[in-house]
Amino acid sequence: MAKIRITETVLRDGQQSQIATRMTTEQMLPVLEELDNAGYHALEVWGGATFDSCLRFLNEDPWERLRTIRTAVKKTKLQMLLRGQNILGYRNYSDDVVRLFVQKSIENGIDIIRIFDALNDPRNLQTAVSATKEFGGHAQVAISYTTSPVHTIDYFVELAKEYAHIGADSICIKDMAGVLTPNTGYELVKAIKAAIDLPLEVHTHATSGISEMTYLKVAEAGADIIDTAVSSFAGGTSQPATESLILALEDLGFETNIDLKEVEKVASHLNKVRDHFRQEGLLNPKVKDVEPKTLIYQVPGGMLSNLLSQLSEQGLADKYEEVLAEVPRVRADLGYPPLVTPLSQMVGTQALMNVISGERFKVVPNEIKDYVRGLYGRPPAPLAPGIKEKIIGDEKVITVRPADLIPDQLPDLRQEIAQYARSEEDVLSYASFPKQARDFLGRREDPFYDVPLQNISVTIDIE
């Protein structure tokens, strides 16, 4: 019997995709034992936007969340998502920060670190991969899947070989936009499995409406693991539903090792959590929608809704189709970067500015200028002729690994947050999100941290 394992995403990508990562640790606690008993390959519980959300919105320590989950989950591997040299943010960090973040993530309970780079530049992954292996973790290196004239099956196979060469323990095809079609998925899995002897995981989103078909074909092609989400937070911009996939795959003769009775207990609780967020207005019905335009424009569903929101705010909703048509043109001009954070936001903003200004690349954000300078890494293909000159003139483009230009940052970070940091984990929180972490740690250490001086007496009286 063919075997396929399941990584459960509901506590990270599932809830991130549908309720903007607002699920609290307290809301997770009642189902941790059932998730641990369900037979999953791994539980994705950390990384991505969970860290930022804990500090910014939930007044939680993300490190404490991880330790709490680790205490409750005794049998199943815990997994996180790491943006390579960007860690959990949108800019490159120095190697000493990346190494310490990886070390502390593993020490606090993470087993598998899924590491990706928005440009698929192996140089931006090397430090995180080597640190993960050094500190005893499993380094899963993810291919940011996208489509373009240069992103062929051969391109991705060569990329998988490069990732194996830098030390990947497993490979993930990370289809963040839900644009991996069933036949291409089948051929890609077959080709990668033939080229390298490493476990292969496939991650997709249900945005475009084809994810279940894609999972069936990659399972038939020999994928070892697929990512699903408990039905409460499945479908639409999230992953396909765990329960439905298990029933279908087992009916087709696959062994999944999942105990659906345990998953049903999880869904029973998380349905109540979902309904709470719906009542609070934090579950936008649109996140459950199918968006076939994702396949037409090769643009992630979240990017589609974000562009429409930006245009509507400026009274330019009638420009939506024009901006959508401009996105692939901008992407081609910039060497076909994958539309994943932060490149999706950058390309979308540039397309928006091109349309609003009436002239292409007349207005260029600083992030796009830095991209053209090479500060984000190496584009998948050369920029279109004349684009570099139009954006940065005769400036030189760097050819070294971007992080080579960044001196060690930890000494300054430790000094800057010394007043409030109790641990290296606190320093890393500050490194990741300085303002949010300073406010969180300040409130923790000083009850009057964010109380204006003129209001202190009033606050004391009330308490």
Side-chain angles (χ1 to χ4, degrees):
M1 180 181 285
K3 294 182 180 180
I4 192 158
R5 301 302 308 277
I6 307 294
T7 292
E8 176 56 62
T9 70
V10 72
L11 298 187
R12 207 286 298 174
D13 202 5
Q15 61 123 348
Q16 178 175 320
S17 296
Q18 298 205 339
I19 55 169
T21 334
R22 296 298 204 277
M23 193 185 298
T24 66
T25 304
E26 185 177 358
Q27 289 168 326
M28 299 176 183
L29 285 173
V31 295
L32 294 179
E33 183 178 349
E34 287 78 9
L35 287 168
D36 194 21
N37 290 333
Y40 288 108
H41 165 73
L43 303 176
E44 188 188 58
V45 299
W46 212 59
T50 60
F51 207 95
D52 182 15
S53 185
C54 279
L55 294 169
R56 189 186 302 265
F57 301 113
L58 304 179
N59 196 35
E60 288 190 23
D61 183 342
W63 298 97
E64 186 59 33
R65 169 179 291 190
L66 175 55
R67 289 189 289 268
T68 298
I69 295 173
R70 178 76 282 173
T71 299
V73 178
K74 299 177 173 62
K75 298 178 289 188
T76 311
K77 291 181 172 64
L78 297 183
Q79 179 173 303
M80 72 169 291
L81 182 68
L82 189 82
R83 294 174 184 149
Q85 208 71 28
N86 294 168
I87 307 181
L88 301 177
Y90 309 102
R91 60 186 175 88
N92 284 327
Y93 288 86
S94 59
D95 287 338
D96 63 335
V97 177
V98 175
R99 282 178 49 78
L100 184 63
F101 198 99
V102 168
Q103 178 184 353
K104 290 301 177 182
S105 298
I106 293 168
E107 286 180 3
N108 281 274
I110 289 295
D111 300 294
I112 302 168
I113 302 185
R114 178 178 290 173
I115 308 162
F116 79 98
D117 176 65
L119 290 174
N120 289 318
D121 188 337
R123 301 174 304 167
N124 291 338
L125 301 167
Q126 289 170 339
T127 298
V129 171
S130 61
T132 300
K133 296 170 75 72
E134 177 183 346
F135 296 112
H138 175 107
Q140 181 179 88
V141 186
I143 293 167
S144 295
Y145 179 80
T146 189
T147 57
S148 81
V150 301
H151 289 97
T152 62
I153 287 177
D154 288 343
Y155 170 92
F156 287 122
V157 170
E158 289 305 310
L159 190 61
K161 290 179 182 177
E162 286 190 68
Y163 287 174
H165 179 71
I166 65 171
D169 295 310
S170 64
I171 301 291
C172 175
I173 301 168
K174 179 177 169 58
D175 174 28
M176 57 281 172
V179 297
L180 179 63
T181 55
N183 188 58
T184 301
Y186 181 89
E187 293 180 356
L188 182 55
V189 168
K190 278 284 189 186
I192 291 176
K193 293 293 287 184
I196 57 172
D197 185 22
L198 289 175
L200 180 61
E201 186 156 356
V202 180
H203 170 98
T204 191
H205 287 249
T207 319
S208 63
I210 62 171
S211 55
E212 290 88 351
M213 289 187 285
T214 297
Y215 273 161
L216 170 59
K217 296 303 291 183
V218 301
E220 290 177 347
D224 299 286
I225 313 155
I226 58 174
D227 291 3
T228 65
V230 171
S231 55
S232 315
F233 290 96
T237 52
S238 179
Q239 280 72 57
T242 301
E243 303 95 308
S244 307
L245 260 294
I246 298 308
L247 288 166
L249 288 169
E250 291 189 346
D251 185 58
L252 288 163
F254 288 91
E255 181 184 323
T256 66
N257 199 45
I258 296 294
D259 183 345
L260 278 179
K261 290 182 180 178
E262 295 294 332
V263 180
E264 287 166 7
K265 295 176 189 174
V266 175
S268 179
H269 169 72
L270 292 182
N271 284 343
K272 298 170 188 172
V273 174
R274 176 200 61 207
D275 292 345
H276 163 76
F277 283 105
R278 181 179 287 138
Q279 290 165 6
E280 294 293 316
L282 282 170
L283 179 63
N284 187 328
K286 285 187 177 294
V287 301
K288 294 286 191 180
D289 287 351
V290 173
E291 183 48 88
K293 284 182 181 176
T294 297
L295 294 168
I296 298 168
Y297 293 106
Q298 306 296 314
V299 172
M303 187 176 169
L304 287 169
S305 57
N306 189 49
L307 282 174
L308 182 57
S309 174
Q310 285 181 283
L311 287 165
S312 298
E313 286 173 7
Q314 299 177 56
L316 297 169
D318 59 316
K319 301 282 189 183
Y320 181 56
E321 292 290 336
E322 192 177 345
V323 174
L324 277 185
E326 177 66 7
V327 167
R329 289 197 287 267
V330 170
R331 188 167 168 248
D333 288 338
L334 297 177
Y336 297 104
L339 294 178
V340 64
T341 300
L343 270 303
S344 54
Q345 292 90 333
M346 290 160 58
V347 169
T349 299
Q350 186 63 65
L352 188 67
M353 289 183 170
N354 287 358
V355 170
I356 291 175
S357 68
E359 181 181 335
R360 304 188 75 242
F361 298 103
K362 179 182 180 180
V363 181
V364 180
N366 289 330
E367 291 83 0
I368 292 288
K369 292 178 181 178
D370 284 345
Y371 169 83
V372 173
R373 292 180 180 116
L375 293 174
Y376 283 84
R378 191 166 44 219
L383 273 61
I387 289 296
K388 178 258 181 190
E389 289 74 18
K390 190 162 190 176
I391 294 177
I392 61 169
D394 59 0
E395 282 188 50
K396 286 188 175 180
V397 175
I398 71 163
T399 56
V400 299
R401 183 181 72 116
D404 287 343
L405 303 176
I406 306 174
D408 285 353
Q409 295 171 322
L410 276 175
D412 286 345
L413 290 166
R414 289 182 178 121
Q415 186 174 351
E416 289 169 16
I417 199 62
Q419 181 179 0
Y420 300 122
R422 296 179 190 170
S423 65
E424 292 283 67
E425 286 85 348
D426 288 347
V427 174
L428 290 167
S429 294
Y430 173 72
S432 302
F433 300 99
K435 183 184 185 307
Q436 290 73 29
R438 177 181 286 277
D439 288 346
F440 172 82
L441 298 172
R443 289 191 299 268
R444 185 188 70 185
E445 300 301 313
D446 178 1
F448 301 118
Y449 170 80
D450 56 1
V451 179
L453 286 176
Q454 65 268 29
N455 290 339
I456 286 181
S457 60
V458 176
T459 304
I460 292 172
D461 289 342
I462 289 171
E463 290 180 349

